[in-house]
Amino acid sequence: MYLSRSTVHRILALTLPGGIALGLLLHALVDVAWQQGDLGLTLRLIIALLFGGVVGLALSITAWISLRYALGEVRDHARRILQADLPPLTDNDPLVALRQTVADAIAAVPRSATLATLVSRLNTVTDREAMLTAVAESLSEHLAVRGAVFLLYDVERAVLVPSTAWGVGKVNRTTIFDIDGSAIGRALRERRSVRFSSVQMRELINTASPQALTVISWPLWVQQTPIGALCIMLAGADVRLNDEQQQLLEQVAMLFTAYLQTSIYRQWAERDQRRLAIFEHITESMVEQPNLERALVHLLRIAAEITESDHGSFLLIDADTSTIRMRVTLSGGDVLPLNLASAPILKHGLAGWVLRARRGAIIDDIERDTRWVPTPGLELMRSALAVPLFHGDRPLGVLTLADPAPYHYSQRAMALVSVLAAYAVTMLVHYRYEGIIEPEQQAHARQILEKHLDPETMRELIAQRAKLMQAIQPQIVTVTMIYGCLRNVERLTGLTAQQWYEDLTSAFHNGCRLIVYQHQGAYMSLDERSFSAAFGFPQPQFNDGVRALQAAQQIQAMVARLRIQWRQQIGADLPLAIGITTGHLMVGVVGQAQSATMMWSGTALREARRLCQLARNDEIVVSDTVLKTVPSGQFTLDPLTPANLHNGTEMAPLYRLVGNT
């Protein structure tokens, strides 16, 4: 059966057969009812068909009227919603007209120009603030947007930092989102959007905005590289976007990313080119500076520029005295007097830490790290980077950079600053910084004395150059002298020179020297088996005698331990004899340049040697001159037979040192 294109015609085509069928049914009813009647079969059939046709026609008219009414309702509704007139109908068929009405209504729906307008605006701007403004205003046409913030992904530091803001959004330099440790960072890494309340994202919202807001963070990626996140602030608490709104936000974010990536890539390229240009011309720019301080300031500016730091300083130290000789800062001048700053900075601060560790360090958040010592007058810093300056093994100072934002420095920044630190050392050599190039006489004195004095005494002498130079001048000083000698060495005939040095001489003299240094005495190795130590040189102290006796006792105990090893290694016992006296010692330097050496002579040395000769094995013999400088009763001393110490007739009282009381 052929059905026309109009559904009304289809209805008519179907209702008429239905009516006929109904008529046949009625025929059956009539036949039953009129079985007793006189009507013939043909007449009854005609009556039933007529009745069915009437019923079918009535149904068709009802359907027609219903469709015309529905058509009118649809057209009126479309005019009200669209607020526009629809074109006149071209077909009287109700269903055809209904189809035309729907098509006309769709055509009359106003097309949104949001994306096209946004593209036009983005084509005319280049800075990020204008781009974000265009994006936020475009979204405001469809969403209740109150603010927006663009978070830039810093590849070097692996953090998100606020770059620009619009509306109630704000840019706070101290706000940092770690890519692994924050929810918004993890969402970016996983390429998904995430919702926050205004309380959770209060660092990105102006405090002047009292209304409840919902913050939606949308990830911005270029292929496999994240470039940031777009944070949109919507009015209301716990606002959820429908599918169309999410699609709009996604499309806007894609456009924003497309135009933003050019700016970001250009910034990265310019930064790398600027750094490269700086390093290409850094040597020339350093040589052009008139003095060391100006050169250090220039280098600080370069370090601050390539790391985008707000603060920088050079601390040049005196390693021997643990003091700061010179400080250069970007602000120009000292923030705190050096005599007040030296101790806390070098003992508790970051500068002291990197010098002791001999490597650079980064503090991501100063509020969580105790190595940063705040300096009065300096802006509150949140992150810091420090690199030590070394010339060989000699520490010269520290290059420190700091910034108010946490997590400001990366390992790449550390590498760049380490290169600048090497340039700084080169500059110090170029300008003959005294910490590296000592005056010839001072270097000469230091080289002579450091062979005989402990490091602490040397630092004190170097800090007072007059005393350092005085210490190498010919002079006579009053000292308490120790003379020690190993016995039975002549019995060792089967040792090679190397065995003699490694097994005996080195261990003996190193142990004796360490003990003498611990008691602030001067040590001199006389030969393979003998040594002398002077207490009272280069500067006399009130307890020279006490320190000498204590050192002698410790040396005796140390050698007793070594003798056990020697008996096992070489099969011989080497006892030690020690003599101690107080007297005059002549000190002087013989030789020139590298061959110069210190010489001791005088009464104190001769008497100490004579006492050592008089002592029995493992005995410490002390003259009565030492007892005059030692508090009575502090040591146990047994009297010995008086002896002649000067080849004359005078006999000197002698004592054996037993121990402390």
Side-chain angles (χ1 to χ4, degrees):
M1 179 179 180
Y2 173 78
L3 296 178
S4 64
R5 63 185 179 86
S6 172
T7 305
V8 174
H9 294 169
R10 294 180 183 180
I11 294 174
L12 292 175
L14 293 174
T15 54
L16 286 176
I20 294 173
L22 182 59
L24 293 176
L25 178 61
L26 290 175
H27 167 263
L29 294 175
V30 171
D31 185 55
V32 173
W34 292 351
Q35 283 182 0
Q36 303 300 326
D38 297 333
L39 296 175
L41 177 62
T42 302
L43 182 59
R44 290 196 303 270
L45 181 60
I46 293 172
I47 294 173
L49 291 175
L50 290 175
F51 182 79
V54 171
V55 173
L57 181 61
L59 292 175
S60 299
I61 294 173
T62 301
W64 180 276
I65 294 173
S66 298
L67 288 174
R68 296 298 298 184
Y69 178 78
L71 175 62
E73 287 293 319
V74 169
R75 293 185 68 85
D76 291 341
H77 182 71
R79 292 190 186 97
R80 287 194 305 271
I81 295 300
L82 301 175
Q83 296 181 356
D85 293 333
L86 299 180
L89 296 174
T90 59
D91 198 317
N92 291 327
D93 189 313
L95 279 183
V96 174
L98 188 60
R99 293 176 185 151
Q100 181 181 348
T101 300
V102 173
D104 293 341
I106 293 174
V109 173
R111 298 291 181 179
S112 176
T114 299
L115 298 181
T117 304
L118 178 59
V119 170
S120 300
R121 293 186 61 180
L122 293 176
N123 282 329
T124 61
V125 297
T126 56
D127 61 288
R128 298 174 192 170
E129 183 177 1
M131 290 182 185
L132 183 63
T133 300
V135 167
E137 291 179 350
S138 298
L139 289 173
S140 299
E141 298 176 2
H142 305 275
L143 300 171
V145 179
R146 297 293 180 265
V149 175
F150 168 59
L151 300 177
L152 175 65
Y153 177 62
D154 191 320
V155 180
E156 293 184 4
R157 296 182 290 161
V159 294
L160 287 167
V161 295
S163 176
T164 185
W166 175 88
V168 299
K170 69 174 180 179
V171 175
N172 187 352
R173 289 193 62 190
T174 62
T175 300
I176 299 293
F177 298 99
D178 182 51
I179 193 68
D180 297 315
S182 64
I184 195 170
R186 292 192 296 270
L188 173 63
R189 188 184 59 192
E190 297 168 5
R191 306 182 74 157
R192 59 181 175 83
S193 62
V194 62
R195 291 185 303 110
F196 301 97
S197 67
S198 55
V199 176
Q200 292 172 311
M201 290 288 107
R202 56 184 176 273
E203 298 92 347
L204 300 179
I205 300 175
N206 196 318
T207 55
S209 177
Q211 59 181 325
L213 298 171
T214 298
V215 181
I216 297 179
S217 174
W218 199 274
L220 306 180
W221 283 68
V222 176
Q223 294 182 353
Q224 301 303 317
T225 303
I227 64 172
L230 175 62
C231 295
I232 302 297
M233 290 80 175
L234 302 177
D238 196 21
V239 176
R240 299 178 182 271
L241 303 181
N242 57 34
D243 293 341
E244 294 181 358
Q245 291 170 333
Q246 287 190 7
Q247 184 178 5
L248 174 63
L249 181 55
E250 180 180 3
Q251 293 172 343
V252 170
M254 290 177 60
L255 288 176
F256 184 43
T257 303
Y259 284 87
L260 192 63
Q261 63 175 320
T262 303
S263 170
I264 294 176
Y265 288 164
R266 184 186 300 112
Q267 176 187 352
W268 292 349
E270 290 175 352
R271 180 179 59 185
D272 291 339
Q273 291 175 359
R274 184 175 66 253
R275 289 173 174 175
L276 180 61
I278 289 174
F279 281 104
E280 286 179 348
H281 301 91
I282 189 171
T283 304
E284 300 175 3
S285 61
M286 291 299 101
V287 175
E288 295 173 355
Q289 303 305 318
N291 54 53
L292 176 60
E293 184 173 355
R294 292 286 297 275
L296 291 177
V297 171
H298 184 70
L299 191 60
L300 269 182
R301 292 197 181 99
I302 293 176
E305 180 181 357
I306 64 174
T307 59
E308 300 177 352
S309 301
D310 275 13
H311 170 73
S313 67
F314 271 110
L315 297 180
L316 303 184
I317 68 167
D318 186 336
D320 296 322
T321 60
S322 297
T323 58
I324 299 177
R325 288 181 173 180
M326 178 181 181
R327 177 167 58 186
V328 178
T329 66
L330 285 179
S331 56
D334 294 335
V335 181
L336 191 67
L338 290 181
N339 59 341
L340 298 178
S342 294
I345 290 177
L346 295 181
K347 185 176 182 180
H348 305 290
L350 180 62
W353 189 93
V354 299
L355 285 172
R356 291 189 295 271
R358 304 177 72 90
R359 61 182 177 88
I362 295 176
I363 296 181
D364 291 327
D365 193 345
I366 287 173
E367 293 184 354
R368 302 178 182 177
D369 199 307
T370 59
R371 289 177 295 177
W372 180 260
V373 177
T375 303
L378 182 65
E379 180 185 358
L380 178 63
M381 297 291 130
R382 288 291 302 276
S383 57
L385 181 153
V387 177
L389 309 179
F390 277 86
H391 184 258
D393 292 332
R394 184 178 180 83
L396 302 179
V398 180
L399 168 57
T400 303
L401 299 171
D403 195 82
Y407 296 91
H408 184 76
Y409 298 102
S410 63
Q411 291 301 320
R412 186 174 185 184
M414 171 68 77
L416 294 173
V417 175
S418 298
V419 175
L420 294 178
Y423 275 106
V425 174
T426 304
M427 289 162 45
L428 294 174
V429 175
H430 174 75
Y431 287 97
R432 300 183 63 82
Y433 174 60
E434 61 181 348
I436 303 173
I437 310 299
E438 294 179 296
E440 183 177 356
Q441 292 182 344
Q442 178 180 333
H444 179 65
R446 179 177 56 79
Q447 292 171 0
I448 294 174
L449 292 173
E450 65 186 4
K451 300 176 183 178
H452 307 285
L453 300 178
D454 63 282
E456 182 64 28
T457 302
M458 284 299 304
R459 282 194 290 268
E460 294 177 359
L461 288 177
I462 293 175
Q464 305 177 53
R465 293 183 178 84
K467 293 184 178 181
L468 176 66
M469 303 309 299
Q470 176 64 31
I472 63 171
Q473 299 302 316
Q475 57 186 303
I476 298 177
V477 294
T478 300
V479 299
T480 298
M481 199 76 186
I482 296 179
Y483 191 100
C485 180
L486 290 175
R487 292 177 174 174
N488 299 335
V489 173
E490 62 277 1
R491 300 179 183 178
L492 301 177
T493 58
L495 294 181
T496 64
Q498 183 177 2
Q499 290 175 325
W500 172 261
Y501 177 78
E502 292 180 353
D503 296 338
L504 291 174
T505 303
S506 176
F508 172 65
H509 281 294
N510 288 341
C512 294
R513 180 183 291 106
L514 179 61
I515 293 173
V516 171
Y517 283 175
Q518 289 175 347
H519 291 82
Q520 298 179 323
Y523 185 86
M524 180 174 288
S525 174
L526 302 175
D527 54 35
E528 292 85 352
R529 63 180 181 176
S530 304
F531 76 93
S532 62
F535 293 83
F537 175 81
Q539 296 295 325
Q541 300 183 36
F542 72 94
N543 61 346
D544 289 338
V546 173
R547 290 184 288 110
L549 295 179
Q550 291 174 342
Q553 289 179 318
Q554 293 184 18
I555 290 174
Q556 188 182 51
M558 181 270 300
V559 172
R561 293 190 296 270
L562 288 177
R563 289 167 61 186
I564 298 175
Q565 299 179 12
W566 292 338
R567 284 194 293 267
Q568 296 174 350
Q569 293 174 355
I570 61 179
D573 187 22
L574 305 178
L576 175 70
I578 296 178
I580 306 176
T581 189
T582 298
H584 296 302
L585 181 69
M586 289 186 295
V587 180
V589 176
V590 296
Q592 299 292 329
Q594 298 297 328
S595 62
T597 184
M598 178 168 286
M599 296 295 294
W600 291 352
S601 63
T603 304
L605 183 61
R606 290 195 300 271
E607 287 187 1
R609 182 187 298 112
R610 176 61 178 161
L611 291 172
C612 179
Q613 294 171 351
L614 295 174
R616 293 180 296 182
N617 291 344
D618 302 327
E619 191 174 58
I620 302 175
V621 177
V622 183
S623 70
D624 64 335
T625 56
V626 178
L627 302 185
K628 298 176 182 179
T629 63
V630 176
S632 177
Q634 184 171 350
F635 294 91
T636 301
L637 298 164
D638 293 341
L640 300 175
T641 303
N644 187 335
L645 302 181
H646 302 288
N647 295 326
T649 58
E650 182 180 358
M651 305 297 287
L654 303 180
Y655 300 87
R656 178 192 301 112
L657 178 61
V658 178
N660 293 19
T661 59

